[in-house]
């Protein structure tokens, strides 16, 4: 089943986006099955769980941290995490940068943008994003790299609302790209779309989709 799901989703998303298999709460055999089907990018939302799975699975997997991140947990994954999606404060970036220095690497991050019409979702609004990108201490950080933006749409059945939220994120991405990252080729990722809305996300320009239940079944 897992292999079939991955194949179907890969056909749907085509070559413009990459699939992140969101494996949070799922047992090792499920991840191994996805790996055997060729999947190489996995997403987790808890650091401890990601560390354990990273230790047990083959080392050619890219591990993406997609959840809300506490700064005291960064150190446990700083040596191997491939992309941190949910960065939404300068303080957190400072910690990630510090861990990057310790581990002698540049840690790729996405800045999480608040796009949903709900109180519960994390993320920066545009003014906060601009403030962060213009901050002097941000500009001095050499051991983080901003690869793009991430957003989570509202949890609603109204697909036109979801589409508009994704459109907004894509517009903001284009603006930020031209205002701050024109010369940085690695600033190219738009992480948006989950099991319920990834087709809309792809149409609106997603480059990374984060899909859990449509691959592994419900949690
Ligand atoms: C759990 C999770 C997903 C995947 O959700 P599904 O609906 O199972 O596809 C995507 N993004 C984030 C941030 C998540 O926490």
């Amino acid at each position: 089943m897992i292999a079939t799901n991955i194949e179907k989703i890969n056909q749907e998303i085509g070559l413009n986006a990459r699939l992140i298999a969101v494996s949070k709460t799922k047992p090792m055999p499920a991840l191994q099955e996805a790996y055997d089907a060729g999947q190489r990018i996995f997403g987790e939302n808890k650091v401890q769980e990601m560390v354990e799975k990273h230790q047990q699975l083959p080392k050619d997997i890219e591990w993406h941290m997609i959840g809300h991140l506490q700064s005291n947990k960064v150190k446990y994954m700083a040596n191997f995490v491939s992309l941190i999606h949910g960065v939404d404060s300068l303080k957190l970036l400072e910690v990630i940068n510090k861990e990057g220095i310790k581990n002698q690497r540049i840690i790729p991050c996405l800045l999480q943008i608040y796009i949903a019409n709900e109180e519960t979702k994390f993320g920066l609004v545009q003014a906060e994003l601009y403030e962060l990108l213009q901050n002097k201490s941000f500009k001095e950080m050499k051991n983080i790299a901003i690869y793009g933006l991430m957003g989570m749409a509202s949890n609603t059945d109204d697909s036109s609302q979801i589409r508009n939220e994704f459109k907004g994120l894509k517009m903001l991405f284009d603006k930020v790209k031209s205002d701050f990252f024109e010369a940085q080729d690695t600033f190219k990722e738009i992480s948006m779309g989950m099991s319920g809305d990834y087709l809309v996300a792809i149409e609106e320009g997603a480059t990374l989709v984060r899909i859990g239940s449509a691959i592994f079944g419900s949690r």
Side-chain angles (χ1 to χ4, degrees), residues 5-219:
N5 294 340
I6 288 172
E7 190 185 354
K8 170 179 165 281
I9 293 167
N10 273 325
Q11 276 169 8
E12 287 169 336
I13 68 179
L15 295 174
N16 292 329
R18 290 180 295 152
L19 170 61
I20 301 169
V22 176
S23 48
K24 62 190 186 195
T25 78
K26 296 295 172 186
M28 297 304 287
L31 280 76
Q32 185 67 52
E33 202 176 327
Y35 181 88
D36 293 340
Q39 184 64 30
R40 291 294 181 272
I41 312 177
F42 290 81
E44 292 282 337
N45 70 341
K46 295 215 167 68
V47 173
Q48 193 54 46
E49 187 175 340
M50 186 170 85
V51 168
E52 283 165 21
K53 288 172 171 173
H54 165 256
Q55 282 166 352
Q56 292 176 46
L57 284 166
K59 292 296 169 283
D60 61 343
I61 291 175
E62 266 187 40
W63 291 97
H64 289 209
M65 174 45 57
I66 63 168
H68 189 67
L69 182 58
Q70 289 171 289
S71 48
N72 61 344
K73 302 280 172 66
V74 174
K75 56 178 177 282
Y76 301 114
M77 61 174 187
N79 65 330
F80 73 89
V81 67
S82 287
L83 186 62
I84 302 177
H85 288 235
V87 180
D88 64 356
S89 75
L90 192 62
K91 265 186 77 177
L92 184 55
L93 271 177
E94 276 163 359
V95 174
I96 297 169
N97 187 59
K98 213 173 80 190
E99 293 300 326
I101 294 169
K102 277 191 205 159
N103 287 278
Q104 296 182 300
R105 63 181 292 236
I106 294 169
I107 300 179
C109 300
L110 303 180
L111 295 172
Q112 183 167 359
I113 307 302
Y114 179 87
I115 59 171
N117 193 4
E118 294 171 359
E119 284 294 309
T120 53
K121 301 268 161 80
F122 297 102
L124 302 158
V125 299
Q126 180 169 331
E128 294 167 330
L129 173 65
Y130 270 66
E131 201 180 300
L132 189 158
L133 293 171
Q134 286 163 338
N135 187 287
K136 185 164 168 288
S137 69
F138 168 74
K139 291 181 192 162
E140 287 167 356
M141 294 179 195
K142 298 286 181 263
N143 289 70
I144 51 113
I146 306 299
Y147 276 20
L149 305 181
M150 176 264 203
M152 281 175 90
S154 296
N155 185 10
T156 171
D157 293 333
D158 182 351
S159 66
S160 74
Q161 183 183 338
I162 292 171
R163 188 179 293 280
N164 280 330
E165 292 172 359
F166 288 154
K167 270 191 205 303
L169 185 58
K170 165 71 167 139
M171 275 175 57
L172 181 59
F173 171 89
D174 289 341
K175 187 169 150 54
V176 169
K177 173 84 183 166
S178 74
D179 287 347
F180 296 94
F181 295 101
E182 202 62 88
Q184 186 188 314
D185 291 342
T186 49
F187 186 92
K188 62 181 172 64
E189 305 293 0
I190 306 176
S191 168
M192 60 184 186
M194 318 194 337
S195 291
D197 54 24
Y198 67 90
L199 291 175
V200 180
I202 292 295
E203 286 170 9
E204 299 305 332
T207 66
L208 292 167
V209 288
R210 310 178 308 268
I211 300 183
S213 45
I215 296 174
F216 296 107
S218 60
R219 286 180 298 273

